[in-house]
Amino acid sequence: MNVSIAFKTIVTKEIYRFIRIWPQTLLPPAITTTLYFLIFGKLIGDRIGTINGASYMDYIVPGIILMSVISHSYANVVSSFYSTKFQRNIEELLVAPVPNWVILSGYISGGIIRGLLVGMVVALISLLFADFAVHNLAIALTTAVLTATLFSLAGFINAILAESFDDISIIPNFVLTPLSYLGGVFYSVDMLPPIWQTISMGNPILYMVNAFRYGLIGVSDIDIQLTFMITAGFIVTLTLFSLYLLHKGIGIKN
Amino acid sequence: MKALSLCNLRKTYSNGFEALKGIDLQVEVGDFFALLGPNGAGKSTAIGIISSLVTASSGSVSVFGHDLKTERDLAKSCIGLVPQEVNFNQFDTVKSIVLNQAGYYGLPRKLALQRVEYCLKQMDLWDKRDTISRRLSGGMKRRVMIARAMVHAPKLLILDEPTAGVDIEIRRSMWQLMQEVNAQGTTIILTTHYLEEAESLCRNIAIIDEGRIVEHSDMASLLARLHIEHFILDLAQPLTTAPAIDGCQIELVSDKVLNVAIPKEIGLNHLFSQLTDHNIQVMSLKNKTNRLEQLFMDLVTSK
């Protein structure tokens, strides 16, 4: 059994899926983020001034890019894998000799690719509004890839455990969006009262947004090494949990 | 070596329902095998376990000598499954559905494309290869699932009610197709509610009821156990009463239709000579019920 062919098949299928429905997958983030840049960055931002030495527009660009990466890597895997479960074409994979880690890595790769592609689209749009030299490309790219991986895994687990279409919208609407908005996308955590600064430290998105912001404009509220360690820790934990769910057949087998 | 061997297979679902109560089953290489049973008997659970869609509570499954637990990949590579219900992505084209399945089985691209072409042509679907699958008719969707199941050239093809809900013309063409596939050396396991289908296609049979195998033999010996056959006779002239014929039970259904129950040892010649003696002319004759259906009912209701 050549597992690389199975892996390639899943990834190709996933890419083909989100490209085929590009008006639902690639176009909306372009429109939404253009509005963010116009309203928050341009109209309101000009009145705010600078944060940590960066113009407000430059300050929010990394957060908005990463927020798009987070929501789209998550959305890709949760919707694709849940549809596969719902339409029962997961059975195509289960009857074939495809190892669980190949199923997982195939879907996660699809999520990472869509997340990064959307991130690139948003980054290109940001060039119309912001003007900064990239501070450290390696840190920015590593953060984006790790973030996309983490949220693809989270989407995968959500899809496995979901029993209805409602279940796949609860986490994005009631957990992911609030965490993203409270993750320092539009403000520095130093601007919050001490109690909220402490509470914010429990939000993993805060670390990723700051690491990505450091990579792009050289400004961060958080230690970058700590960010990588936390993100890697989450990735390992969620990977092991996903493999456990697949091994036990929870949500996909009787 | 058996194509399939099930040993003391048990399945209890989380709600406590015991779907399989320790079944043993062997299917010979090259066989066309019928697995029959009433709804809820455990057929689909057994097929689910064989095809890795259901986890067995205990027992073992061996496919062409490969244990499904210890030699999982080899065992799975031998199996092609045609499920009861359409389970492919209905937004994909026919070709991509079959091609993706080839990829899941690790077929290199060039070989995969050759196999896809071969299978789609065999299923008479090559002209539809670029059609979005949800636009296909019910019969075509079934054939897509057969093509998909055959793309990796499995040694064992499991067809779970493949002709359910399709019209008679398509059903007949699918029977022919299945016979061709079997003639090419593929072992076939068929579950069906059309007992006529099982009787005309399959050489061996198992009947499962309430999670147990209640019958496992070859079709000919099973049918030979039928002692009494029922026939419907259409008559040329109307009758007012049913004729009395030694050894047979005869009922007048309508003035020109007789229902005859005749023991096997008496034979039809005796019946017809007696009818001739009564000046009764028979225009046509047919089995009242399918022979296997009668046996099936006897087996699953004799508890």
Side-chain angles (χ1 to χ4, degrees), chain A residues 1-2 5-6 9-10 13 20 87-89 91-100 253-254, chain B residues 11 51-53 55 72 76-77 85 87-92 100-101 103-107 148:
Chain A
M1 168 69 190
N2 190 334
I5 294 174
T9 304
I10 298 171
K13 178 175 73 79
R20 185 181 57 194
Q87 293 192 84
R88 293 180 54 196
N89 35 81
E91 292 176 3
E92 294 176 339
L93 283 163
L94 296 178
V95 298
V98 186
N100 289 336
K253 280 190 190 183
N254 282 311
Chain B
K11 174 66 185 178
S51 49
S52 306
L53 300 176
T55 309
R72 178 180 165 275
K76 280 183 160 189
S77 297
E85 288 167 30
N87 70 344
F88 48 72
N89 186 342
Q90 305 231 19
F91 298 98
D92 279 348
N100 282 342
Q101 194 69 13
Y104 300 151
Y105 280 89
L107 266 65
R148 183 185 63 179

mmCIF file of all heavy atoms in Angstrom, chain A residues 1-2 5-6 9-10 13 20 87-89 91-100 253-254, chain B residues 11 51-53 55 72 76-77 85 87-92 100-101 103-107 148:
data_model
loop_
_atom_site.group_PDB
_atom_site.id
_atom_site.type_symbol
_atom_site.label_atom_id
_atom_site.label_comp_id
_atom_site.label_asym_id
_atom_site.label_seq_id
_atom_site.Cartn_x
_atom_site.Cartn_y
_atom_site.Cartn_z
ATOM 1 N N MET A 1 0.851 -1.207 0.000
ATOM 2 C CA MET A 1 0.000 0.000 0.000
ATOM 3 C C MET A 1 0.875 1.241 0.000
ATOM 4 O O MET A 1 1.701 1.433 0.887
ATOM 5 C CB MET A 1 -0.899 -0.049 1.243
ATOM 6 C CG MET A 1 -1.625 1.248 1.553
ATOM 7 S SD MET A 1 -2.882 1.646 0.338
ATOM 8 C CE MET A 1 -3.303 3.308 0.802
ATOM 9 N N ASN A 2 0.704 2.067 -1.043
ATOM 10 C CA ASN A 2 1.484 3.295 -1.146
ATOM 11 C C ASN A 2 0.699 4.433 -0.484
ATOM 12 O O ASN A 2 -0.226 4.989 -1.072
ATOM 13 C CB ASN A 2 1.736 3.579 -2.635
ATOM 14 C CG ASN A 2 2.732 4.688 -2.814
ATOM 15 O OD1 ASN A 2 2.892 5.543 -1.944
ATOM 16 N ND2 ASN A 2 3.401 4.685 -3.941
ATOM 17 N N ILE A 5 0.313 8.013 -2.078
ATOM 18 C CA ILE A 5 -0.725 8.226 -3.106
ATOM 19 C C ILE A 5 -2.066 8.542 -2.432
ATOM 20 O O ILE A 5 -2.789 9.448 -2.857
ATOM 21 C CB ILE A 5 -0.845 6.991 -4.030
ATOM 22 C CG1 ILE A 5 0.450 6.826 -4.841
ATOM 23 C CG2 ILE A 5 -2.051 7.107 -4.957
ATOM 24 C CD1 ILE A 5 0.508 5.582 -5.682
ATOM 25 N N ALA A 6 -2.374 7.812 -1.360
ATOM 26 C CA ALA A 6 -3.624 8.072 -0.634
ATOM 27 C C ALA A 6 -3.609 9.493 -0.060
ATOM 28 O O ALA A 6 -4.603 10.223 -0.150
ATOM 29 C CB ALA A 6 -3.806 7.047 0.473
ATOM 30 N N THR A 9 -4.065 11.987 -2.780
ATOM 31 C CA THR A 9 -5.459 11.973 -3.263
ATOM 32 C C THR A 9 -6.358 12.810 -2.355
ATOM 33 O O THR A 9 -7.169 13.607 -2.836
ATOM 34 C CB THR A 9 -5.987 10.511 -3.317
ATOM 35 O OG1 THR A 9 -5.111 9.746 -4.133
ATOM 36 C CG2 THR A 9 -7.397 10.446 -3.872
ATOM 37 N N ILE A 10 -6.183 12.638 -1.026
ATOM 38 C CA ILE A 10 -7.035 13.397 -0.093
ATOM 39 C C ILE A 10 -6.743 14.894 -0.220
ATOM 40 O O ILE A 10 -7.662 15.714 -0.298
ATOM 41 C CB ILE A 10 -6.804 12.926 1.368
ATOM 42 C CG1 ILE A 10 -7.181 11.456 1.522
ATOM 43 C CG2 ILE A 10 -7.646 13.772 2.338
ATOM 44 C CD1 ILE A 10 -6.788 10.836 2.863
ATOM 45 N N LYS A 13 -8.053 16.318 -3.482
ATOM 46 C CA LYS A 13 -9.527 16.407 -3.404
ATOM 47 C C LYS A 13 -9.936 17.630 -2.574
ATOM 48 O O LYS A 13 -10.857 18.359 -2.947
ATOM 49 C CB LYS A 13 -10.064 15.121 -2.755
ATOM 50 C CG LYS A 13 -11.571 15.064 -2.565
ATOM 51 C CD LYS A 13 -11.986 13.710 -2.021
ATOM 52 C CE LYS A 13 -11.623 13.525 -0.573
ATOM 53 N NZ LYS A 13 -12.516 14.179 0.377
ATOM 54 N N ARG A 20 -13.168 24.894 -6.145
ATOM 55 C CA ARG A 20 -14.405 24.789 -6.928
ATOM 56 C C ARG A 20 -15.483 25.731 -6.364
ATOM 57 O O ARG A 20 -16.275 26.298 -7.101
ATOM 58 C CB ARG A 20 -14.898 23.329 -6.875
ATOM 59 C CG ARG A 20 -16.110 23.041 -7.733
ATOM 60 C CD ARG A 20 -16.523 21.593 -7.602
ATOM 61 N NE ARG A 20 -16.791 21.231 -6.220
ATOM 62 C CZ ARG A 20 -16.911 19.981 -5.785
ATOM 63 N NH1 ARG A 20 -16.736 18.974 -6.604
ATOM 64 N NH2 ARG A 20 -17.185 19.733 -4.522
ATOM 65 N N GLN A 87 -22.593 12.782 4.356
ATOM 66 C CA GLN A 87 -22.945 12.114 3.092
ATOM 67 C C GLN A 87 -22.477 10.666 3.088
ATOM 68 O O GLN A 87 -22.651 9.951 2.122
ATOM 69 C CB GLN A 87 -22.287 12.819 1.903
ATOM 70 C CG GLN A 87 -22.794 14.207 1.638
ATOM 71 C CD GLN A 87 -22.302 14.695 0.287
ATOM 72 O OE1 GLN A 87 -22.880 14.412 -0.744
ATOM 73 N NE2 GLN A 87 -21.191 15.414 0.290
ATOM 74 N N ARG A 88 -21.812 10.269 4.145
ATOM 75 C CA ARG A 88 -21.287 8.915 4.343
ATOM 76 C C ARG A 88 -20.175 8.550 3.375
ATOM 77 O O ARG A 88 -19.837 7.386 3.227
ATOM 78 C CB ARG A 88 -22.419 7.882 4.285
ATOM 79 C CG ARG A 88 -23.363 8.025 5.467
ATOM 80 C CD ARG A 88 -24.482 7.018 5.427
ATOM 81 N NE ARG A 88 -23.976 5.679 5.307
ATOM 82 C CZ ARG A 88 -24.712 4.628 4.954
ATOM 83 N NH1 ARG A 88 -25.985 4.781 4.710
ATOM 84 N NH2 ARG A 88 -24.194 3.431 4.857
ATOM 85 N N ASN A 89 -19.587 9.566 2.673
ATOM 86 C CA ASN A 89 -18.437 9.157 1.837
ATOM 87 C C ASN A 89 -17.161 8.983 2.646
ATOM 88 O O ASN A 89 -16.150 8.586 2.103
ATOM 89 C CB ASN A 89 -18.224 10.007 0.571
ATOM 90 C CG ASN A 89 -18.565 11.444 0.752
ATOM 91 O OD1 ASN A 89 -17.760 12.191 1.274
ATOM 92 N ND2 ASN A 89 -19.755 11.830 0.362
ATOM 93 N N GLU A 91 -16.995 6.537 4.314
ATOM 94 C CA GLU A 91 -16.887 5.081 4.150
ATOM 95 C C GLU A 91 -15.907 4.717 3.042
ATOM 96 O O GLU A 91 -15.293 3.654 3.082
ATOM 97 C CB GLU A 91 -18.274 4.476 3.864
ATOM 98 C CG GLU A 91 -19.190 4.569 5.083
ATOM 99 C CD GLU A 91 -20.606 4.077 4.839
ATOM 100 O OE1 GLU A 91 -20.872 3.593 3.713
ATOM 101 O OE2 GLU A 91 -21.439 4.172 5.755
ATOM 102 N N GLU A 92 -15.762 5.614 2.047
ATOM 103 C CA GLU A 92 -14.785 5.355 0.977
ATOM 104 C C GLU A 92 -13.385 5.221 1.569
ATOM 105 O O GLU A 92 -12.567 4.438 1.098
ATOM 106 C CB GLU A 92 -14.804 6.500 -0.052
ATOM 107 C CG GLU A 92 -16.104 6.608 -0.823
ATOM 108 C CD GLU A 92 -16.125 7.808 -1.753
ATOM 109 O OE1 GLU A 92 -15.355 8.758 -1.539
ATOM 110 O OE2 GLU A 92 -16.939 7.787 -2.709
ATOM 111 N N LEU A 93 -13.099 6.030 2.577
ATOM 112 C CA LEU A 93 -11.779 5.987 3.217
ATOM 113 C C LEU A 93 -11.676 4.832 4.207
ATOM 114 O O LEU A 93 -10.628 4.197 4.320
ATOM 115 C CB LEU A 93 -11.518 7.303 3.955
ATOM 116 C CG LEU A 93 -11.132 8.494 3.089
ATOM 117 C CD1 LEU A 93 -11.317 9.783 3.864
ATOM 118 C CD2 LEU A 93 -9.689 8.368 2.632
ATOM 119 N N LEU A 94 -12.783 4.567 4.906
ATOM 120 C CA LEU A 94 -12.719 3.545 5.951
ATOM 121 C C LEU A 94 -12.580 2.132 5.385
ATOM 122 O O LEU A 94 -11.941 1.292 5.999
ATOM 123 C CB LEU A 94 -13.968 3.625 6.851
ATOM 124 C CG LEU A 94 -14.133 4.918 7.646
ATOM 125 C CD1 LEU A 94 -15.419 4.890 8.462
ATOM 126 C CD2 LEU A 94 -12.945 5.166 8.564
ATOM 127 N N VAL A 95 -13.185 1.895 4.213
ATOM 128 C CA VAL A 95 -13.067 0.540 3.640
ATOM 129 C C VAL A 95 -11.685 0.327 3.008
ATOM 130 O O VAL A 95 -11.222 -0.794 2.896
ATOM 131 C CB VAL A 95 -14.167 0.223 2.583
ATOM 132 C CG1 VAL A 95 -15.539 0.278 3.192
ATOM 133 C CG2 VAL A 95 -14.082 1.141 1.375
ATOM 134 N N ALA A 96 -11.038 1.410 2.626
ATOM 135 C CA ALA A 96 -9.729 1.303 1.963
ATOM 136 C C ALA A 96 -8.615 1.188 3.017
ATOM 137 O O ALA A 96 -8.793 1.596 4.164
ATOM 138 C CB ALA A 96 -9.503 2.528 1.088
ATOM 139 N N PRO A 97 -7.468 0.653 2.623
ATOM 140 C CA PRO A 97 -6.378 0.493 3.600
ATOM 141 C C PRO A 97 -5.616 1.803 3.839
ATOM 142 O O PRO A 97 -4.392 1.853 3.704
ATOM 143 C CB PRO A 97 -5.493 -0.575 2.947
ATOM 144 C CG PRO A 97 -5.751 -0.467 1.498
ATOM 145 C CD PRO A 97 -7.150 0.034 1.326
ATOM 146 N N VAL A 98 -6.345 2.851 4.164
ATOM 147 C CA VAL A 98 -5.716 4.148 4.425
ATOM 148 C C VAL A 98 -5.479 4.268 5.939
ATOM 149 O O VAL A 98 -6.447 4.236 6.711
ATOM 150 C CB VAL A 98 -6.614 5.319 3.958
ATOM 151 C CG1 VAL A 98 -5.883 6.644 4.110
ATOM 152 C CG2 VAL A 98 -7.065 5.111 2.529
ATOM 153 N N PRO A 99 -4.232 4.406 6.380
ATOM 154 C CA PRO A 99 -3.998 4.544 7.822
ATOM 155 C C PRO A 99 -4.643 5.822 8.358
ATOM 156 O O PRO A 99 -4.779 6.810 7.635
ATOM 157 C CB PRO A 99 -2.463 4.628 7.928
ATOM 158 C CG PRO A 99 -1.943 4.121 6.630
ATOM 159 C CD PRO A 99 -2.988 4.421 5.601
ATOM 160 N N ASN A 100 -4.985 5.771 9.650
ATOM 161 C CA ASN A 100 -5.650 6.931 10.267
ATOM 162 C C ASN A 100 -4.808 8.201 10.173
ATOM 163 O O ASN A 100 -5.343 9.293 9.960
ATOM 164 C CB ASN A 100 -5.967 6.634 11.740
ATOM 165 C CG ASN A 100 -7.076 5.614 11.870
ATOM 166 O OD1 ASN A 100 -7.892 5.462 10.966
ATOM 167 N ND2 ASN A 100 -7.097 4.895 12.970
ATOM 168 N N LYS A 253 -17.678 5.436 13.146
ATOM 169 C CA LYS A 253 -17.983 4.008 13.022
ATOM 170 C C LYS A 253 -18.998 3.624 14.090
ATOM 171 O O LYS A 253 -19.096 4.284 15.118
ATOM 172 C CB LYS A 253 -16.727 3.166 13.279
ATOM 173 C CG LYS A 253 -15.769 3.059 12.136
ATOM 174 C CD LYS A 253 -14.743 2.007 12.493
ATOM 175 C CE LYS A 253 -13.595 1.993 11.528
ATOM 176 N NZ LYS A 253 -12.645 0.932 11.853
ATOM 177 N N ASN A 254 -19.696 2.505 13.848
ATOM 178 C CA ASN A 254 -20.594 1.983 14.888
ATOM 179 C C ASN A 254 -19.813 1.102 15.831
ATOM 180 O O ASN A 254 -19.088 0.246 15.437
ATOM 181 C CB ASN A 254 -21.713 1.161 14.248
ATOM 182 C CG ASN A 254 -22.767 2.057 13.652
ATOM 183 O OD1 ASN A 254 -23.242 2.974 14.312
ATOM 184 N ND2 ASN A 254 -23.113 1.826 12.408
ATOM 185 N N LYS B 11 -21.355 -8.866 17.925
ATOM 186 C CA LYS B 11 -21.437 -7.418 17.987
ATOM 187 C C LYS B 11 -22.582 -7.025 18.914
ATOM 188 O O LYS B 11 -23.735 -7.400 18.697
ATOM 189 C CB LYS B 11 -21.659 -6.810 16.589
ATOM 190 C CG LYS B 11 -21.907 -5.296 16.598
ATOM 191 C CD LYS B 11 -20.706 -4.514 17.043
ATOM 192 C CE LYS B 11 -21.007 -3.035 17.160
ATOM 193 N NZ LYS B 11 -19.865 -2.258 17.633
ATOM 194 N N SER B 51 -16.197 -5.067 6.242
ATOM 195 C CA SER B 51 -15.645 -3.958 5.462
ATOM 196 C C SER B 51 -15.118 -2.817 6.338
ATOM 197 O O SER B 51 -14.897 -1.722 5.847
ATOM 198 C CB SER B 51 -16.702 -3.444 4.473
ATOM 199 O OG SER B 51 -17.908 -3.229 5.131
ATOM 200 N N SER B 52 -14.925 -3.081 7.616
ATOM 201 C CA SER B 52 -14.286 -2.132 8.553
ATOM 202 C C SER B 52 -15.119 -0.893 8.855
ATOM 203 O O SER B 52 -14.588 0.113 9.296
ATOM 204 C CB SER B 52 -12.913 -1.676 8.042
ATOM 205 O OG SER B 52 -12.103 -2.756 7.766
ATOM 206 N N LEU B 53 -16.420 -0.960 8.631
ATOM 207 C CA LEU B 53 -17.267 0.185 8.956
ATOM 208 C C LEU B 53 -17.891 0.047 10.344
ATOM 209 O O LEU B 53 -18.404 1.008 10.896
ATOM 210 C CB LEU B 53 -18.390 0.332 7.910
ATOM 211 C CG LEU B 53 -17.928 0.559 6.476
ATOM 212 C CD1 LEU B 53 -19.116 0.592 5.531
ATOM 213 C CD2 LEU B 53 -17.132 1.838 6.366
ATOM 214 N N THR B 55 -17.150 -1.872 14.219
ATOM 215 C CA THR B 55 -16.143 -2.562 15.027
ATOM 216 C C THR B 55 -16.789 -3.745 15.726
ATOM 217 O O THR B 55 -17.804 -3.596 16.406
ATOM 218 C CB THR B 55 -15.564 -1.593 16.084
ATOM 219 O OG1 THR B 55 -15.163 -0.400 15.403
ATOM 220 C CG2 THR B 55 -14.372 -2.189 16.791
ATOM 221 N N ARG B 72 -4.351 -5.943 8.445
ATOM 222 C CA ARG B 72 -5.462 -5.066 8.078
ATOM 223 C C ARG B 72 -5.386 -4.593 6.615
ATOM 224 O O ARG B 72 -6.357 -4.699 5.868
ATOM 225 C CB ARG B 72 -5.431 -3.879 9.041
ATOM 226 C CG ARG B 72 -6.443 -2.809 8.838
ATOM 227 C CD ARG B 72 -6.262 -1.730 9.892
ATOM 228 N NE ARG B 72 -6.965 -0.523 9.567
ATOM 229 C CZ ARG B 72 -6.481 0.440 8.786
ATOM 230 N NH1 ARG B 72 -5.282 0.328 8.250
ATOM 231 N NH2 ARG B 72 -7.198 1.514 8.538
ATOM 232 N N LYS B 76 -7.983 -5.589 3.732
ATOM 233 C CA LYS B 76 -8.827 -4.541 3.140
ATOM 234 C C LYS B 76 -8.631 -4.446 1.626
ATOM 235 O O LYS B 76 -9.581 -4.163 0.893
ATOM 236 C CB LYS B 76 -8.498 -3.191 3.776
ATOM 237 C CG LYS B 76 -9.143 -2.959 5.120
ATOM 238 C CD LYS B 76 -8.805 -1.563 5.598
ATOM 239 C CE LYS B 76 -9.761 -1.074 6.652
ATOM 240 N NZ LYS B 76 -9.562 0.350 6.966
ATOM 241 N N SER B 77 -7.395 -4.664 1.174
ATOM 242 C CA SER B 77 -7.119 -4.560 -0.265
ATOM 243 C C SER B 77 -7.879 -5.606 -1.070
ATOM 244 O O SER B 77 -8.081 -5.445 -2.272
ATOM 245 C CB SER B 77 -5.620 -4.719 -0.534
ATOM 246 O OG SER B 77 -4.938 -3.671 0.087
ATOM 247 N N GLU B 85 -26.849 2.138 0.328
ATOM 248 C CA GLU B 85 -27.280 3.484 -0.052
ATOM 249 C C GLU B 85 -26.145 4.239 -0.730
ATOM 250 O O GLU B 85 -24.975 3.968 -0.461
ATOM 251 C CB GLU B 85 -27.714 4.257 1.195
ATOM 252 C CG GLU B 85 -29.024 3.752 1.754
ATOM 253 C CD GLU B 85 -29.305 4.284 3.135
ATOM 254 O OE1 GLU B 85 -28.864 5.397 3.434
ATOM 255 O OE2 GLU B 85 -29.951 3.560 3.911
ATOM 256 N N ASN B 87 -23.398 6.580 -1.323
ATOM 257 C CA ASN B 87 -22.558 7.221 -0.299
ATOM 258 C C ASN B 87 -21.356 7.933 -0.909
ATOM 259 O O ASN B 87 -20.354 8.129 -0.232
ATOM 260 C CB ASN B 87 -22.101 6.197 0.748
ATOM 261 C CG ASN B 87 -21.096 5.211 0.201
ATOM 262 O OD1 ASN B 87 -20.941 5.085 -1.005
ATOM 263 N ND2 ASN B 87 -20.400 4.528 1.070
ATOM 264 N N PHE B 88 -21.468 8.299 -2.207
ATOM 265 C CA PHE B 88 -20.366 9.085 -2.771
ATOM 266 C C PHE B 88 -20.736 10.564 -2.738
ATOM 267 O O PHE B 88 -21.910 10.918 -2.525
ATOM 268 C CB PHE B 88 -19.998 8.631 -4.189
ATOM 269 C CG PHE B 88 -21.161 8.457 -5.129
ATOM 270 C CD1 PHE B 88 -21.855 9.557 -5.625
ATOM 271 C CD2 PHE B 88 -21.560 7.195 -5.541
ATOM 272 C CE1 PHE B 88 -22.906 9.416 -6.482
ATOM 273 C CE2 PHE B 88 -22.636 7.031 -6.408
ATOM 274 C CZ PHE B 88 -23.303 8.140 -6.881
ATOM 275 N N ASN B 89 -19.735 11.400 -2.950
ATOM 276 C CA ASN B 89 -19.985 12.846 -2.965
ATOM 277 C C ASN B 89 -20.763 13.188 -4.236
ATOM 278 O O ASN B 89 -20.239 13.059 -5.342
ATOM 279 C CB ASN B 89 -18.659 13.605 -2.922
ATOM 280 C CG ASN B 89 -18.863 15.094 -2.800
ATOM 281 O OD1 ASN B 89 -19.953 15.611 -3.065
ATOM 282 N ND2 ASN B 89 -17.831 15.794 -2.400
ATOM 283 N N GLN B 90 -21.996 13.631 -4.050
ATOM 284 C CA GLN B 90 -22.863 13.825 -5.212
ATOM 285 C C GLN B 90 -22.492 15.070 -6.015
ATOM 286 O O GLN B 90 -23.112 15.360 -7.025
ATOM 287 C CB GLN B 90 -24.316 13.892 -4.747
ATOM 288 C CG GLN B 90 -24.682 12.670 -3.937
ATOM 289 C CD GLN B 90 -25.945 11.988 -4.396
ATOM 290 O OE1 GLN B 90 -26.414 12.180 -5.515
ATOM 291 N NE2 GLN B 90 -26.503 11.170 -3.549
ATOM 292 N N PHE B 91 -21.504 15.820 -5.546
ATOM 293 C CA PHE B 91 -21.050 16.991 -6.299
ATOM 294 C C PHE B 91 -19.825 16.669 -7.153
ATOM 295 O O PHE B 91 -19.344 17.506 -7.896
ATOM 296 C CB PHE B 91 -20.749 18.157 -5.356
ATOM 297 C CG PHE B 91 -21.964 18.616 -4.602
ATOM 298 C CD1 PHE B 91 -22.199 18.201 -3.309
ATOM 299 C CD2 PHE B 91 -22.899 19.441 -5.214
ATOM 300 C CE1 PHE B 91 -23.336 18.600 -2.626
ATOM 301 C CE2 PHE B 91 -24.044 19.841 -4.537
ATOM 302 C CZ PHE B 91 -24.264 19.425 -3.235
ATOM 303 N N ASP B 92 -19.304 15.456 -7.005
ATOM 304 C CA ASP B 92 -18.138 15.049 -7.796
ATOM 305 C C ASP B 92 -18.573 14.425 -9.111
ATOM 306 O O ASP B 92 -19.696 13.914 -9.228
ATOM 307 C CB ASP B 92 -17.310 14.020 -7.012
ATOM 308 C CG ASP B 92 -16.402 14.667 -5.992
ATOM 309 O OD1 ASP B 92 -16.237 15.899 -6.039
ATOM 310 O OD2 ASP B 92 -15.873 13.938 -5.134
ATOM 311 N N ASN B 100 -10.640 8.804 -7.251
ATOM 312 C CA ASN B 100 -10.238 9.024 -5.849
ATOM 313 C C ASN B 100 -10.156 7.707 -5.098
ATOM 314 O O ASN B 100 -9.239 7.501 -4.300
ATOM 315 C CB ASN B 100 -11.233 9.955 -5.146
ATOM 316 C CG ASN B 100 -11.012 11.406 -5.515
ATOM 317 O OD1 ASN B 100 -9.954 11.772 -6.009
ATOM 318 N ND2 ASN B 100 -12.011 12.231 -5.303
ATOM 319 N N GLN B 101 -11.131 6.828 -5.358
ATOM 320 C CA GLN B 101 -11.113 5.545 -4.642
ATOM 321 C C GLN B 101 -9.856 4.761 -5.019
ATOM 322 O O GLN B 101 -9.245 4.130 -4.164
ATOM 323 C CB GLN B 101 -12.383 4.750 -4.976
ATOM 324 C CG GLN B 101 -12.630 3.569 -4.052
ATOM 325 C CD GLN B 101 -12.998 3.990 -2.641
ATOM 326 O OE1 GLN B 101 -13.300 5.142 -2.388
ATOM 327 N NE2 GLN B 101 -12.946 3.056 -1.711
ATOM 328 N N GLY B 103 -7.066 6.047 -5.738
ATOM 329 C CA GLY B 103 -5.994 6.704 -4.974
ATOM 330 C C GLY B 103 -5.948 6.229 -3.532
ATOM 331 O O GLY B 103 -4.880 6.005 -2.976
ATOM 332 N N TYR B 104 -7.128 6.048 -2.928
ATOM 333 C CA TYR B 104 -7.160 5.581 -1.532
ATOM 334 C C TYR B 104 -6.550 4.180 -1.406
ATOM 335 O O TYR B 104 -6.033 3.823 -0.353
ATOM 336 C CB TYR B 104 -8.598 5.547 -0.988
ATOM 337 C CG TYR B 104 -9.296 6.888 -0.986
ATOM 338 C CD1 TYR B 104 -10.683 6.983 -1.110
ATOM 339 C CD2 TYR B 104 -8.581 8.077 -0.852
ATOM 340 C CE1 TYR B 104 -11.325 8.209 -1.104
ATOM 341 C CE2 TYR B 104 -9.219 9.305 -0.855
ATOM 342 C CZ TYR B 104 -10.589 9.366 -0.985
ATOM 343 O OH TYR B 104 -11.232 10.571 -0.992
ATOM 344 N N TYR B 105 -6.665 3.411 -2.476
ATOM 345 C CA TYR B 105 -6.076 2.067 -2.453
ATOM 346 C C TYR B 105 -4.615 2.090 -2.913
ATOM 347 O O TYR B 105 -3.998 1.048 -3.068
ATOM 348 C CB TYR B 105 -6.893 1.098 -3.319
ATOM 349 C CG TYR B 105 -8.122 0.589 -2.615
ATOM 350 C CD1 TYR B 105 -9.327 1.264 -2.687
ATOM 351 C CD2 TYR B 105 -8.074 -0.557 -1.830
ATOM 352 C CE1 TYR B 105 -10.461 0.819 -2.020
ATOM 353 C CE2 TYR B 105 -9.200 -1.022 -1.159
ATOM 354 C CZ TYR B 105 -10.387 -0.325 -1.259
ATOM 355 O OH TYR B 105 -11.498 -0.771 -0.598
ATOM 356 N N GLY B 106 -4.090 3.277 -3.162
ATOM 357 C CA GLY B 106 -2.668 3.411 -3.475
ATOM 358 C C GLY B 106 -2.290 3.073 -4.906
ATOM 359 O O GLY B 106 -1.113 2.822 -5.196
ATOM 360 N N LEU B 107 -3.261 3.081 -5.823
ATOM 361 C CA LEU B 107 -2.927 2.778 -7.227
ATOM 362 C C LEU B 107 -2.201 3.964 -7.847
ATOM 363 O O LEU B 107 -2.687 5.102 -7.764
ATOM 364 C CB LEU B 107 -4.206 2.506 -8.028
ATOM 365 C CG LEU B 107 -4.670 1.059 -8.166
ATOM 366 C CD1 LEU B 107 -5.059 0.493 -6.817
ATOM 367 C CD2 LEU B 107 -5.847 0.965 -9.126
ATOM 368 N N ARG B 148 -16.749 1.883 -8.615
ATOM 369 C CA ARG B 148 -15.865 2.357 -7.540
ATOM 370 C C ARG B 148 -15.339 1.175 -6.716
ATOM 371 O O ARG B 148 -14.168 1.135 -6.355
ATOM 372 C CB ARG B 148 -16.649 3.315 -6.640
ATOM 373 C CG ARG B 148 -15.842 3.939 -5.533
ATOM 374 C CD ARG B 148 -16.710 4.781 -4.627
ATOM 375 N NE ARG B 148 -17.730 3.973 -3.958
ATOM 376 C CZ ARG B 148 -18.618 4.452 -3.094
ATOM 377 N NH1 ARG B 148 -18.640 5.728 -2.799
ATOM 378 N NH2 ARG B 148 -19.512 3.651 -2.527
#
